Amino acid sequence: MKYLLTALLTGITALAFAQSKFFTRNGTVTFFSSAPLEDITAKNYSTIAVLDTETGNIEFSALMKSFEFKKALMQEHFNENYVESDKFPKAVFVGSVRNLSMVDFNKDGAYDTEVSGEMTIHGISQRLTAAGQIIKRGERISLQSKFILKPEDYEIKIPDLVRDKIAQEIEVTVKAELEELKR
Amino acid sequence: MIKNYFLLTSLLLFGFHSFSQESLLDLLVEEERTEYTTASFKTTRIINTQSIENLASGVLDLKISHRFGRVNRGINDFFGLDQATIRLGLDYGITDRLMVGIGRSTVQKAVDGFAKYKMLRQSSGKVDMPISLSWYSNVLVVTQDFPNPERDNEFKHRLFFTHQLLAARKFNSGTSIMLMPTLIHRNLVESTQVDNDVLALGLGGRQKITNRVALTFEYFYVLPNQIDDIYKNSLSLGFDIETGGHVFQLHFTNSLGMMDKQYITETTGDWGAGDIHFGFNISRVFTLKEPKRKPNE
């Protein structure tokens, strides 16, 4: 009786954990700023993403210092002057897939989705809704999304002097290839 | 017995419950990584002296440095601004750890060349390193006429060498301090009374005021009984202002020369007497070679 109950409870617990979580540590986040004087691109190759296919919850975390720029000085200024990486080392998104019922994780295919949640950058949290795609292929799940962020929404100040070099709207592209999280 | 079941059940349920409340990101054990300290100083110089910073690989830095006359010359000389001496320099980052540079100074019509290599990088996390350490060596060729033409002068008497260790620590995002034990070898000195080798210890630092403006200082203490008494220790105070691709450094110093042997062993200005030179360095960087992994691929 005692063993049966223990086994049952353990079984239930294990079941609840099993096979519904997918993750990566190598997601890419690219941002692109197009301004009259300069186009700036930066890429983060080590973004963490976790998706729970059962609840539709999805989370991203990117280290600000891992954004790579073409110009070393730009990268330094990004960290030192704009996002203040020492104080706010990460950008984090916590949200959920709104139309989860449209996604069949048992069938290969590309599903258009909308994700909404809270984006935290530079210590400031903002609601964010972004359109994207969930692509199920075999054992893997790919995520793709593109959306616009405004630095001023996150209290990232851009001096007038460099106004013509940094756009007021930054285009962000997210790509992540997730695999099953085995525990 | 019943009690035990109850305990077990509630433990498991509680465990399950708390688990479902957790953030998904917490499921991943964070990999410990090494975080290297960056931007201890705004640019590769504090004022006259080298800072712990290196240019990134493939970056060219054009440096234009001015020192004006002494401010105590008064209004007749527009507080020294009538007289300007300059150094034009080009620095280049060969790798992220090795940079080289050349320059030409008005003072003594000197041409210089240097190399700086970063041996240790301050870091925290997986690799914990309290300081950054660099090696700096410089050769300076004085091309102006020899002070004593009757003497049997050869080319080697134009050469001066500096070797320096730079040990820096960034204490927090705003404060960095650097120690610089320095050896200067002079192939030609004024008299047999003074040494060819001069040992000095430098101290430098910066304190950020805002994200783009920082206060800087540097001081060189020459160990006693090595150089003539007329020479003073070099003390410079200034600030760094950074605007996009430029860094402006404005400062006050009792040294006129901008190269190591000139400001460390040949400073004649006395701060107390107002022998202070106003000066500035302008740095403009050009990225000649982009990193191999292009971010916009």
Side-chain angles (χ1 to χ4, degrees):
Chain A
M1 177 66 186
K2 182 178 159 190
Y3 295 114
L4 187 70
L5 190 63
T6 316
L8 195 68
L9 279 170
T10 321
I12 290 170
T13 321
L15 199 69
F17 291 164
Q19 312 223 333
S20 78
K21 306 211 172 47
F22 289 76
F23 84 109
T24 182
R25 294 181 193 276
N26 308 313
T28 53
V29 172
T30 313
F31 72 73
F32 178 64
S33 149
S34 182
L37 282 184
E38 199 156 24
D39 287 348
I40 300 169
T41 308
K43 207 158 185 173
N44 182 317
Y45 297 91
S46 51
T47 303
I48 296 174
V50 188
L51 169 71
D52 185 337
T53 54
E54 222 151 72
T55 61
N57 288 340
I58 188 165
E59 297 186 12
F60 289 91
S61 169
L63 270 179
M64 296 317 253
K65 283 198 174 168
S66 299
F67 277 96
E68 296 174 20
F69 289 68
K70 281 198 272 184
K71 293 180 178 172
L73 200 67
M74 241 177 221
Q75 188 165 331
E76 186 179 314
H77 292 167
F78 170 76
N79 287 304
E80 286 279 297
N81 303 345
Y82 295 97
V83 296
E84 301 179 278
S85 305
D86 282 339
K87 275 188 245 167
F88 312 107
K90 284 177 187 168
V92 176
F93 177 80
V94 177
S96 58
V97 180
R98 285 173 98 177
N99 53 341
L100 189 69
S101 56
M102 311 279 282
V103 185
D104 184 358
F105 287 105
N106 296 316
K107 217 173 97 192
D108 282 9
Y111 305 93
D112 287 328
T113 52
E114 197 175 66
V115 171
S116 73
E118 198 164 72
M119 175 73 92
T120 307
I121 300 171
H122 195 233
I124 308 291
S125 298
Q126 296 284 359
R127 293 293 303 173
L128 179 75
T129 300
Q133 260 197 333
I134 292 180
I135 302 158
K136 170 80 171 141
R137 199 180 294 117
E139 296 289 285
R140 289 170 167 266
I141 297 175
S142 303
L143 306 174
Q144 285 183 13
S145 178
K146 195 177 266 192
F147 51 91
I148 300 288
L149 289 181
K150 292 181 179 167
E152 59 171 310
D153 288 347
Y154 298 91
E155 294 181 14
I156 297 166
K157 291 187 196 78
I158 296 164
D160 291 341
L161 205 62
V162 290
R163 257 288 159 229
D164 289 343
K165 291 184 177 176
I166 300 173
Q168 311 214 13
E169 295 194 334
I170 311 285
E171 185 188 272
V172 182
T173 311
V174 178
K175 278 184 189 160
E177 183 111 330
L178 313 187
E179 56 186 286
E180 198 184 313
L181 178 64
K182 296 195 173 81
R183 291 171 64 85
Chain B
M1 234 2 199
I2 300 288
K3 215 175 176 180
N4 278 353
Y5 285 135
F6 179 70
L7 194 68
L8 185 66
T9 314
S10 45
L11 264 176
L12 280 169
L13 282 177
F14 179 72
F16 176 64
H17 179 73
S18 73
F19 176 76
S20 65
Q21 295 291 302
E22 262 174 28
S23 126
L24 288 173
L25 290 169
D26 291 342
L27 297 176
L28 300 181
V29 182
E30 202 143 333
E31 288 170 331
E32 208 190 4
R33 30 183 295 146
T34 304
E35 190 166 337
Y36 292 103
T37 303
T38 55
S40 302
F41 292 90
K42 285 248 183 259
T43 172
T44 57
R45 305 294 198 285
I46 299 184
I47 291 169
N48 286 319
T49 193
Q50 296 281 333
S51 81
I52 198 74
E53 296 301 325
N54 276 49
L55 290 174
S57 165
V59 175
L60 182 76
D61 187 0
L62 171 66
K63 288 204 177 285
I64 303 167
S65 309
H66 274 253
R67 299 293 179 271
F68 295 100
R70 292 174 174 176
V71 294
N72 60 2
R73 298 293 289 252
I75 189 68
N76 200 34
D77 257 3
F78 200 42
F79 303 96
L81 295 188
D82 280 355
Q83 306 147 356
T85 61
I86 66 164
R87 177 181 179 271
L88 284 175
L90 273 179
D91 296 353
Y92 184 71
I94 295 174
T95 70
D96 286 345
R97 284 170 179 263
L98 176 66
M99 67 178 275
V100 294
I102 49 169
R104 166 68 164 70
S105 302
T106 311
V107 175
Q108 299 169 333
K109 299 186 189 297
V111 179
D112 64 82
F114 74 84
K116 180 165 70 169
Y117 185 74
K118 190 172 268 191
M119 296 185 285
L120 297 177
R121 291 182 293 173
Q122 185 184 337
S123 64
S124 57
K126 203 165 162 189
V127 178
D128 203 7
M129 178 64 64
I131 60 162
S132 295
L133 189 69
S134 287
W135 177 277
Y136 164 76
S137 279
N138 160 280
V139 57
L140 182 107
V141 187
V142 172
T143 69
Q144 74 181 9
D145 294 341
F146 281 105
N148 189 354
E150 292 84 51
R151 195 179 157 275
D152 187 15
N153 290 309
E154 295 173 47
F155 177 73
K156 66 180 182 190
H157 296 125
R158 298 188 175 279
L159 302 182
F160 298 79
F161 302 89
T162 304
H163 304 289
Q164 200 168 46
L165 273 177
L166 314 171
R169 179 166 167 82
K170 187 177 185 179
F171 287 90
N172 55 49
S173 62
T175 314
S176 304
I177 296 286
M178 197 167 90
L179 267 178
M180 300 153 279
T182 308
L183 170 70
I184 294 174
H185 178 81
R186 307 177 291 175
N187 275 1
L188 179 66
V189 290
E190 301 111 313
S191 72
T192 51
Q193 312 298 310
V194 295
D195 295 334
N196 288 84
D197 288 327
V198 176
L199 279 170
L201 183 64
L203 176 70
R206 79 100 189 249
Q207 173 64 49
K208 269 195 183 179
I209 307 171
T210 72
N211 279 344
R212 292 177 180 79
V213 179
L215 279 173
T216 55
F217 81 94
E218 63 183 54
Y219 176 72
F220 276 87
Y221 173 73
V222 178
L223 275 64
N225 306 322
Q226 300 185 95
I227 53 176
D228 198 310
D229 286 346
I230 61 164
Y231 297 117
K232 306 281 191 293
N233 288 331
S234 173
L235 171 67
S236 312
L237 307 171
F239 43 103
D240 291 354
I241 302 164
E242 177 228 292
T243 65
H246 296 82
V247 178
F248 293 99
Q249 299 183 297
L250 307 176
H251 34 255
F252 292 97
T253 170
N254 60 338
S255 305
L256 183 63
M258 286 168 258
M259 289 315 296
D260 317 277
K261 82 107 179 168
Q262 297 169 343
Y263 63 85
I264 295 172
T265 64
E266 292 161 7
T267 290
T268 52
D270 182 350
W271 268 83
D275 305 334
I276 301 161
H277 304 269
F278 172 66
F280 61 82
N281 303 340
I282 298 172
S283 157
R284 178 73 175 109
V285 301
F286 304 91
T287 304
L288 298 190
K289 217 175 68 199
E290 287 166 5
K292 282 207 182 73
R293 183 159 73 172
K294 287 210 181 74
N296 56 352
E297 273 172 356

